[in-house]
Amino acid sequence: MISAERFCAELDARGVGLVTGVPCGWLQGPLALLARQPERYVPAANEGAALAIAAGAELAGQRSAVLIQNSGFGNLINPLTSLIDTFAVPVIIFMTLRGWPRPEDDEPQHSLTGPTTEPLLSQLGVGHQVLASGDDGLARAWEAADRARAERRPYAVLVPRGRIGRVEEPQPDDDPSGGGYDRGQAIEDLVPWLRGSAVFATTGRTSRELFTRADSPAHFYMLGSMGHALALGLGAAISRPDRRIVVLDGDGALVMHLGTALTVGAQAPANLIHIVLDNRTYDSTGGQPVPGPADWRSLGHAAGYRGVHLASSPAGVARAMATATDEPGPRLVVLRVTRSGRRPTRHPLAALGAGDLAARFHTALEGAAAGSRSRPGEPEVSMVSRPLPHDPPTPATPDPDTLRGEVLKTVAELLADEGRPVEVHDDDVLADLALDSIALMFVLTHFERRYDVAFDNDTLRPDRYVTVGDLAAFVAEQVSARG
């Protein structure tokens, strides 16, 4: 193994003045040491930007290096082929070999990039080698990079797992995210507000945390393609204006492709809520700092979000989400959190294959009730929601039997969203179905929005109804009496 101290000493010996990149846990050691030299190490938003930053330093006369992982190789290709190659800028790239040599030993999102990294570099004409063990291996890699540099060519050093050592990092006395609000707790506090929504959870621990705490067929756990959760959510929101779409994002992931936020603002989907967990670190790769915005409110408004809501406590989450779910979007909700002290205990793909996960999500959206909304707790005011711009006109009042059937169908779809697909009948007992006040709010809000009626707070008490038939009869009575 090459120690992190030896790796950084070699950077010094080779005259590298600037280092930039996007973190990988396999490079935790060098990154931890470089973070102590902020004037030297530049955290980049994504791999392509890192390569361009390094190229700028080279053009200005300073030798530079890039540290990334191969899962982001795709982001690297554009500047590698059209900038580095075109203008003959020599840059050394240290790239970890995720998914290599055995793709099955790593995360599934690395199964393709692992075996194709070397062939792609060869196809692009980029010299490279796998970093061998020990100081001699590091020296040989630098000698090859120096030869490529003499020819004004880039060079890639591919770093297998465990090839470079880690370092112990001191725990900071203060928390840069402020508030001491644990990320895992924040996700748990969000769970009731996600009921009835289609949720795209960003890669890394956020997806695992949500899966551990509240799995649902309507949750899509994105286990790769970092930075693209918001784009996924935008596509779904445009395609399904009748569904609320929630994107559960991380600050590092959002920064990686921040331009998508501008596209969201330009498209202005009224059914999109974008939640960002801001802990100012890349938590999944060791807590390296994120080059995140200092002023989320200004950023959100400049991007075109209709509202920006900040929170750093359970009460703050409730206030932010109450507004975000009651007003047209797109809405940006930023939760200031700390790095979670607990690792998520479950992995989405431990029980579900990637294809199965995508298929069940698709099925959940296809079979879900149109226009469903939900809000947890018992509100102090009527649940009447401001209609989305895409909402259809209020339909004519159907006959009571049709309304009763619609209530049963809505309850069945709610249960299916929760992973409990059952056929619902009039004589089913609400308590047996675990329909609490939050679930009742989901059902009743659907009818409020669809038929322009208002239910008071008393309707949210589960003990008011014994069976689903009782609930259906009440809704039919209220809708029939509207006007």
Side-chain angles (χ1 to χ4, degrees):
M1 179 183 290
I2 301 163
S3 72
E5 291 80 4
R6 181 72 186 87
F7 181 89
C8 289
E10 195 66 24
L11 292 174
D12 295 335
R14 302 286 171 168
V16 175
L18 182 143
V19 182
T20 182
V22 179
C24 175
W26 295 5
L27 295 172
Q28 179 273 341
L31 288 170
L33 297 178
L34 289 167
R36 302 171 190 174
Q37 307 175 58
E39 73 287 348
R40 184 185 189 188
Y41 177 67
V42 180
N46 59 58
E47 294 81 3
L51 187 56
I53 290 169
E58 290 281 357
L59 290 171
Q62 185 174 70
R63 191 170 193 184
S64 61
V66 174
L67 275 60
I68 61 172
Q69 62 174 284
N70 63 342
S71 60
F73 192 8
N75 291 329
L76 201 73
I77 289 177
N78 181 287
L80 186 61
T81 56
S82 60
L83 172 64
I84 300 300
D85 183 76
T86 301
F87 295 98
V89 183
V91 175
I92 185 169
I93 303 164
F94 289 92
M95 181 159 54
T96 56
L97 267 177
R98 301 301 301 265
W100 183 93
R102 287 168 45 86
E104 61 270 23
D105 292 339
D106 207 331
E107 299 284 347
Q109 63 266 28
H110 303 305
S111 61
L112 183 60
T113 52
T116 59
T117 296
E118 287 197 83
L120 280 171
L121 287 168
S122 297
Q123 189 70 25
L124 294 171
V126 177
H128 59 277
Q129 65 175 278
V130 176
L131 180 62
S133 300
D135 293 351
D136 288 346
L138 183 60
R140 289 196 297 273
W142 273 106
E143 289 165 5
D146 286 343
R147 290 193 294 271
R149 184 177 183 81
E151 300 173 0
R152 304 199 59 79
R153 303 290 300 171
Y155 195 79
V157 180
L158 306 178
V159 183
R161 184 201 299 265
R163 196 57 44 95
I164 298 177
R166 300 174 63 86
V167 298
E168 292 295 325
E169 295 183 80
Q171 294 299 315
D173 294 330
D174 59 333
D175 171 23
S177 64
Y181 190 23
D182 180 79
R183 183 199 64 225
Q185 182 61 52
I187 291 176
E188 189 164 306
D189 293 336
L190 282 169
V191 165
W193 298 95
L194 304 180
R195 189 188 297 272
S197 301
V199 181
F200 291 91
T202 191
T203 190
R205 292 189 181 176
T206 298
S207 276
R208 300 181 193 185
E209 196 92 59
L210 180 60
F211 180 74
T212 296
R213 295 173 183 273
D215 181 34
S216 166
H219 293 173
F220 186 86
Y221 307 105
M222 199 184 77
L223 300 174
S225 53
M226 182 172 172
H228 289 300
L230 182 57
L232 275 171
L234 176 60
I238 293 171
S239 301
R240 288 296 302 270
D242 59 315
R243 286 302 306 270
R244 176 184 292 135
I245 306 297
V246 175
V247 175
L248 187 56
D249 217 345
D251 52 342
L254 173 60
V255 166
M256 181 166 279
H257 293 292
L258 190 57
T260 302
L262 300 176
T263 308
V264 168
Q267 294 295 316
N271 56 330
L272 179 64
I273 298 175
H274 183 195
I275 302 171
V276 178
L277 300 169
D278 175 22
N279 61 7
R280 307 294 176 88
T281 65
Y282 293 104
D283 202 3
S284 297
T285 58
Q288 296 85 7
V290 168
D295 188 347
W296 284 103
R297 196 178 299 279
S298 296
L299 175 69
H301 286 305
Y305 288 85
R306 285 194 175 105
V308 181
H309 316 277
L310 308 179
S312 58
S313 68
V317 168
R319 287 192 296 270
M321 293 302 295
T323 303
T325 56
D326 207 31
E327 300 287 340
R331 296 266 156 186
L332 178 63
V333 178
V334 180
L335 307 185
R336 301 279 196 180
V337 298
T338 65
R339 294 180 62 190
S340 183
R342 296 173 294 175
R343 294 180 65 89
T345 57
R346 301 177 66 205
H347 193 297
L349 298 188
L352 297 166
D356 291 339
L357 191 153
R360 76 166 191 167
F361 180 82
H362 176 77
T363 300
L365 261 66
E366 284 296 302
S372 58
R373 284 178 176 264
S374 62
R375 296 175 58 186
E378 295 198 3
E380 298 177 358
V381 297
S382 168
M383 293 184 300
V384 175
S385 301
R386 189 172 303 179
L388 299 177
H390 307 288
D391 284 349
T394 301
T397 304
D399 62 78
D401 286 342
T402 300
L403 281 168
R404 288 167 63 88
E406 190 173 344
V407 172
L408 268 63
K409 179 174 180 290
T410 304
V411 170
E413 288 167 338
L414 166 63
L415 296 174
D417 269 355
E418 296 179 338
R420 297 187 288 155
V422 295
E423 188 174 341
V424 177
H425 305 283
D426 272 9
D427 57 358
D428 288 339
V429 178
L430 265 66
D432 293 343
L433 296 176
L435 291 181
D436 55 15
S437 60
I438 295 173
L440 288 178
M441 187 177 292
F442 172 91
V443 175
L444 295 176
T445 302
H446 166 73
F447 288 92
E448 282 193 330
R449 294 183 62 247
R450 179 165 172 75
Y451 294 109
D452 192 23
V453 295
F455 299 105
D456 59 36
N457 294 344
D458 189 53
T459 62
L460 293 178
R461 291 190 296 104
D463 59 1
R464 176 172 179 149
Y465 322 96
V466 177
T467 66
V468 177
D470 295 337
L471 174 64
F474 171 75
V475 171
E477 176 186 351
Q478 295 299 305
V479 173
S480 298
R482 67 178 180 165

